[in-house]
Amino acid sequence: MPTLSLMPPEFSVVRDDNKCIKCLACVRQCGFDAQKYDAEDDRLYAIDANCVNCQRCVSICPAGALTIYKNPPPMRPNAHWTEGHLRNIVKQAETGGVLLTGMGNDQPFPTYFDRLLLNASQVTNPSIDPLREPMELRTYLGSRAEPVSREESKDKTSTPLVPIETPIMFSAMSYGSISHEAFESLARAAKAFGTLFNTGEGGLPEDLYEYADHAVVQVASGRFGVHAGYLNAGRVIEIKIGQGAKPGIGGHLPGEKITAPVAATRMIPEGTDALSPAPHHDIYSIEDLKQLIFTLKEATRYQKPVSVKISAVHNVAAIASGIARAGADIIAIDGFRGGTGAAPTMIRDHVGIPIELAIAAVDQRLREEGIRNRVSLVAAGGFRSSADVVKAIALGADAVYIATAALIALGCHLCQKCYTGKCSWGIATQDPYRSRRLNPEIGAERLYNLLRGWSHEIKEMLGGMGINSIESLRGNRLHLRGVGLNEVELKLLGVKHAGEGM
């Protein structure tokens, strides 16, 4: 194995010695050993090759003495052979391994939310002031199938609808992939605001069962942490089939992250790798999925709606149709911008489709087949603002999942090194020295503030359109117009181009 990399460091750490007070905070706080102190020479220095630009040292430095710069590309500009390609090739030549990354797809594919504009009321349809008039953001998740006979109205196999006070939920992030402190922050905020958080595929820690009534408890292919008490404690059960950041493949949580508490929650030996198979080994058809859906409903006495989470892929509309007919109450669709703690770089960057196209296609297909009321649609994958949420609902979603935005609210700086377990912000780590940097009470407050701010903005946008209920916007694509989109894209999204009338 080569001992010297052919590629210079991606980042440079610059220290202003005139400002530095040698408090050594940067040395203590850096999770990647990029900051060093030589006691013999009384000198601080940086190992640039270790820096991932997480900005922890810059943020924590009391003297403001640190700056991190992106180094120029290590070769002459080449539109085909980009810096990213070069670094990947050199890294694989040195290691012979699969390239790994964290978070969502960061490639320059179109973001359709940025090509869609919302409508606003003017003269004939007056707008609504959300500060002075009622504005309803409460959303009900579950099957809305209406009984057609007195006998069916007494059917005990239907599951109750689940109300959430805002159409925004926290997406699946498992205990183990994120710290207990980050997990608890999500749970606390969800309960305080009246929405839901998703446990991910790692189970629910025993000390957080007080928040279970606001939990979507996930059943993934590895069945980690799944038992009768877990299923009955949650508000919604979610069968995870796919994930937007890595469609078609399983998951892998390295043994370094399987500490004693994580192992106890996942019900696996401490220090062993947690491997989730790519498929569920009891699901190879829609009929198999239907059997699992109703097994989970039977196990919880039909008191828990069952959701099925899938990746946004090329045939997503037909897949969603089958899932709806299999008895799911909720379908969660995760677009290719969705984040992850660890995924092969090539999978994350080149598999899947945008959530905007997926949610529009699924909503339209279910409407055409007359089964849209059987399921709620939840969109996920790269939601950055309240405007993205409103546009997704207009395209057909009932609610959305957010994860990356939530982690950013907790301090994440998108360094994409979650899989290393060295997160300096205490989020994607099981190291108690690092994880205790995140106070769950403060984290929950920041997440609550994010939901509050986005919800206020959603009310403002609804009021501007003359709508007083979020459910009135669902699938109402007449309130959307496209900009800079071709005819095929406009058709797939089901919207008109800007400038066209109603």
Side-chain angles (χ1 to χ4, degrees):
M1 178 180 294
T3 58
L4 179 65
S5 176
L6 301 180
M7 194 64 60
E10 189 173 1
F11 304 103
S12 289
V13 182
V14 178
R15 177 178 285 99
D16 187 339
D17 291 327
N18 293 324
K19 291 182 178 180
C20 180
I21 59 176
K22 295 184 180 178
C23 64
L24 305 189
C26 57
V27 178
R28 294 190 298 271
Q29 293 287 323
C30 181
F32 295 88
D33 294 325
Q35 301 283 0
K36 293 291 187 180
Y37 175 66
D38 187 331
E40 185 176 340
D41 292 338
D42 188 28
R43 182 175 67 92
L44 281 162
Y45 63 98
I47 302 177
D48 290 344
N50 290 352
C51 180
V52 299
N53 196 18
C54 75
Q55 294 287 317
R56 178 70 179 182
C57 61
V58 175
S59 301
I60 209 72
C61 178
L66 293 170
T67 307
I68 298 175
Y69 291 101
K70 175 78 168 64
N71 289 326
M75 62 170 284
R76 61 186 299 176
N78 189 312
H80 184 66
W81 295 98
T82 65
E83 180 183 357
H85 291 122
L86 284 175
R87 290 190 178 277
N88 288 343
I89 290 171
V90 170
K91 188 172 184 178
Q92 289 188 291
E94 293 172 352
T95 65
V98 174
L99 297 168
L100 292 178
T101 188
M103 290 304 178
N105 189 314
D106 60 1
Q107 300 303 301
F109 293 108
T111 297
Y112 287 99
F113 287 135
D114 294 339
R115 306 284 184 88
L116 294 172
L117 297 175
L118 294 164
N119 191 25
S121 299
Q122 293 301 293
V123 178
T124 57
N125 180 30
S127 58
I128 300 171
D129 186 349
L131 296 178
R132 295 175 174 82
E133 300 181 56
M135 186 72 69
E136 184 63 74
L137 292 191
R138 179 178 292 176
T139 303
Y140 292 86
L141 299 179
S143 175
R144 293 176 174 81
E146 298 178 1
V148 295
S149 68
R150 185 181 299 273
E151 290 72 23
E152 285 188 356
S153 67
K154 298 178 181 179
D155 183 12
K156 302 301 182 182
T157 63
S158 60
T159 56
L161 294 173
V162 174
I164 53 176
E165 298 304 317
T166 184
I168 308 167
M169 301 178 289
F170 296 125
S171 193
M173 290 176 277
S174 68
Y175 175 42
S177 67
I178 61 174
S179 65
H180 187 284
E181 289 80 358
F183 197 92
E184 182 178 347
S185 298
L186 296 164
R188 284 172 174 253
K191 182 176 181 179
F193 207 89
T195 186
L196 302 176
F197 75 100
N198 193 308
T199 64
E201 59 179 284
L204 183 63
E206 190 71 29
D207 62 325
L208 297 183
Y209 267 71
E210 62 180 292
Y211 303 104
D213 193 46
H214 292 271
V216 178
V217 292
Q218 199 174 81
V219 177
S221 59
R223 302 292 199 269
F224 299 123
V226 177
H227 52 83
Y230 169 74
L231 296 175
N232 281 286
R235 193 65 177 272
V236 176
I237 300 172
E238 181 174 273
I239 301 170
K240 177 195 172 187
I241 301 294
Q243 185 174 342
K246 42 185 176 183
I249 68 171
H252 177 200
L253 190 66
E256 293 81 2
K257 281 192 167 185
I258 308 298
T259 60
V262 173
T265 301
R266 292 187 175 233
M267 302 189 300
I268 59 175
E270 181 180 353
T272 60
D273 288 11
L275 297 168
S276 301
H280 287 248
H281 287 308
D282 54 355
I283 301 177
Y284 291 94
S285 65
I286 288 294
E287 290 75 20
D288 291 341
L289 175 62
K290 180 177 181 179
Q291 182 172 347
L292 179 58
I293 289 172
F294 281 94
T295 297
L296 294 172
K297 289 185 177 183
E298 287 280 354
T300 54
R301 303 177 300 281
Y302 290 88
Q303 294 303 302
K304 315 292 180 182
V306 174
S307 171
V308 177
K309 178 182 178 181
I310 58 174
S311 307
V313 291
H314 298 171
N315 202 29
V316 66
I319 296 168
S321 173
I323 292 171
R325 296 176 188 279
D329 303 296
I330 303 166
I331 302 175
I333 306 171
D334 199 8
F336 79 147
R337 297 284 188 190
T340 180
T345 304
M346 295 303 112
I347 297 290
R348 186 201 69 172
D349 291 350
H350 300 283
V351 181
I353 65 173
I355 186 59
E356 303 96 322
L357 298 175
I359 203 70
V362 169
D363 178 69
Q364 186 62 33
R365 174 74 174 252
L366 298 183
R367 288 176 185 273
E368 290 173 353
E369 295 182 358
I371 57 174
R372 178 62 181 87
N373 63 325
R374 290 191 188 181
V375 294
S376 293
L377 294 181
V378 177
F383 285 89
R384 308 157 300 174
S385 69
S386 57
D388 289 351
V389 175
V390 171
K391 293 172 186 179
I393 292 172
L395 286 172
D398 290 86
V400 306
Y401 271 139
I402 64 170
T404 302
L407 296 186
I408 291 171
L410 292 176
C412 173
H413 280 59
L414 300 182
C415 72
Q416 303 185 358
K417 301 296 180 183
C418 320
Y419 60 93
T420 66
K422 298 178 179 180
C423 178
S424 299
W425 292 91
I427 299 171
T429 181
Q430 298 307 313
D431 180 349
Y433 178 72
R434 298 187 178 106
S435 64
R436 69 187 184 191
R437 299 171 186 174
L438 178 59
N439 184 320
E441 291 186 12
I442 297 174
E445 181 181 359
R446 294 178 65 84
L447 291 168
Y448 183 96
N449 288 342
L450 179 69
L451 293 177
R452 183 174 181 270
W454 282 22
S455 297
H456 278 312
E457 290 173 342
I458 291 172
K459 288 182 178 181
E460 291 283 357
M461 285 181 274
L462 288 178
M465 288 184 274
I467 299 175
N468 63 4
S469 170
I470 192 69
E471 295 213 350
S472 298
L473 180 64
R474 185 179 67 243
N476 191 345
R477 299 179 210 172
L478 288 175
H479 284 291
L480 293 172
R481 289 293 184 270
V483 176
L485 300 174
N486 60 44
E487 291 185 9
V488 173
E489 291 169 323
L490 291 170
K491 180 180 178 181
L492 291 173
L493 291 168
V495 302
K496 297 180 179 181
H497 200 279
E500 292 189 68
M502 300 295 279

